[in-house]
Amino acid sequence: MPELPEVETIACDLRTAVQGKLFSDVTVHDAFLLRQKERDFVRRLKGQAVDKISRRGKALIIGLSSGEFLIVQLMMTGQLIVNARRDSHTRISFVFSDGTVLLYNDQRRFGQLRVVADLGEVKHFSVLGPEPFSEEFTPGFISEEFQKTSRPVKNVLLDHTFVAGIGNIYACEILFRARLSPKRQARRITPQEIKRIHQCIIEVLKEAILHRGSSMRNYRDGSGQKGRFNERLSVYAREGLLCSVCRRPIERITQAGRSTFYCGHCQK
DNA sequence: AGGTCGACCTGGCAGC
DNA sequence: TGCTGCCAGGTCGACC
């Protein structure tokens, strides 16, 4: 499901809704999603207050007063929704001492939740590339990484060991904004174009956060609302519709097993 | 070693 | 209506 802008939106909503509150009850309806024993998971949450809420890539990090962390990987269809009605996709219910209820819903059951003492225990984080908004993520960095590979640029943008948080929707949108063909070999992209990509990555992600993310099927924010950025998508899921710039039809191809949407005329 | 592909799971939708 | 096949925002491990 969610990419960086969606997870950032959820993190922001949760800060308002549950930060500072105490977990008074945790009910696991589907232990399949836990990466540890259910009893251990519940024991380490109950009685803890929610401290700092942050994000790394597409994962949510919920700090606890014990110093531990609740890590939530929403994957494709995970949702964290405050004060909603439980449904058939609700996998975990968190109840706070003031009565606030937080539901973890997940249609496809790909999501993963765990409590860790140290973020170093999360193997996924150790292989993750830099955050797109970090100082480390510069045109120079992109250039160096692009030189190392013969893969098409689209596949590199999707690679979380290169940069954290970009998924299929935003990889397509970024390349459209940068007017770059998704099929271009990363190492053949010019310094000028790399500057453009760097700028577009930041612009597109920031705009998406501003519009509270993109809702295709399942994404909802912390209050259960859809994001609005999908109304502004230029190419993703728009096969056959006309390009907003040149009025030619948007094309769809498969790269590394995933759909890529682009304008064959505008993106060179 | 770099890169691709299938598996993981559920459900919605199109086509017959 | 009901079946089949395809598709989906992510990540990991197997394999070439």
Side-chain angles (χ1 to χ4, degrees):
Chain A
M1 99 142 225
E3 306 181 28
L4 184 153
E6 290 76 29
V7 181
E8 187 65 41
T9 301
I10 292 170
C12 183
D13 290 349
L14 292 186
R15 280 180 205 118
T16 308
V18 304
Q19 200 160 40
K21 295 181 181 177
L22 249 60
F23 285 98
S24 63
D25 198 27
V26 177
T27 307
V28 178
H29 313 291
D30 184 353
F32 178 82
L33 310 189
L34 300 184
R35 285 299 159 270
Q36 69 203 110
K37 289 273 188 287
E38 178 178 338
R39 273 175 54 186
D40 184 51
F41 179 79
V42 173
R43 182 181 56 79
R44 288 161 79 174
L45 287 175
K46 267 197 187 178
Q48 299 303 319
V50 175
D51 196 7
K52 197 177 152 216
I53 298 176
S54 57
R55 176 192 61 70
R56 176 77 174 103
K58 300 165 192 163
L60 259 178
I61 304 174
I62 300 175
L64 306 173
S65 47
S66 59
E68 299 200 299
F69 303 92
L70 168 60
I71 309 293
V72 183
Q73 293 246 200
L74 300 147
M75 299 294 252
M76 302 280 259
T77 54
Q79 308 173 331
L80 277 167
I81 305 183
V82 177
N83 291 334
R85 171 104 36 89
R86 200 187 137 184
D87 65 30
S88 61
H89 296 133
T90 301
R91 312 296 178 186
I92 302 176
S93 306
F94 303 95
V95 182
F96 294 88
S97 46
D98 70 341
T100 302
V101 176
L102 176 64
L103 300 181
Y104 179 77
N105 296 341
D106 195 339
Q107 180 199 100
R108 290 170 73 180
R109 304 168 79 216
F110 281 168
Q112 299 185 4
L113 293 89
R114 61 199 285 209
V115 178
V116 297
D118 188 315
L119 295 180
E121 287 176 47
V122 187
K123 207 174 79 191
H124 175 67
F125 290 163
S126 66
V127 301
L128 226 46
E131 287 292 325
F133 302 144
S134 67
E135 285 181 16
E136 195 187 335
F137 189 68
T138 60
F141 171 84
I142 298 175
S143 171
E144 246 172 63
E145 294 298 310
F146 277 14
Q147 280 309 310
K148 294 179 190 166
T149 179
S150 58
R151 294 140 87 199
V153 60
K154 157 76 172 355
N155 295 9
V156 181
L157 287 186
L158 269 185
D159 181 348
H160 59 221
T161 68
F162 159 62
V163 62
I166 298 178
N168 209 24
I169 296 178
Y170 296 108
C172 294
E173 292 299 313
I174 287 161
L175 289 172
F176 176 77
R177 173 102 41 131
R179 300 293 185 263
L180 222 57
S181 167
K183 296 186 275 194
R184 286 275 297 281
Q185 254 192 24
R187 66 157 63 114
R188 295 195 197 279
I189 293 181
T190 68
Q192 196 72 357
E193 290 169 330
I194 284 181
K195 271 195 188 164
R196 231 157 65 208
I197 289 201
H198 176 258
Q199 189 187 344
C200 292
I201 287 172
I202 290 169
E203 276 179 20
V204 168
L205 295 177
K206 285 203 166 158
E207 279 178 37
I209 292 170
L210 203 64
H211 294 278
R212 307 186 58 76
S214 308
S215 292
M216 301 312 296
R217 302 178 184 206
N218 296 285
Y219 165 70
R220 296 293 181 275
D221 67 17
S223 54
Q225 303 295 306
K226 295 185 176 191
R228 300 186 311 268
F229 194 72
N230 48 314
E231 297 159 19
R232 312 177 79 90
L233 295 176
S234 300
V235 287
Y236 184 80
R238 296 179 58 81
E239 183 186 14
L241 299 177
L242 300 187
C243 168
S244 56
V245 175
C246 71
R247 315 308 295 174
R248 290 177 173 83
I250 301 297
E251 298 168 44
R252 166 181 170 152
I253 57 172
T254 299
Q255 293 180 290
R258 331 235 0 224
S259 288
T260 298
F261 301 88
Y262 71 109
C263 173
H265 182 256
C266 294
Q267 295 177 248
K268 298 295 182 196

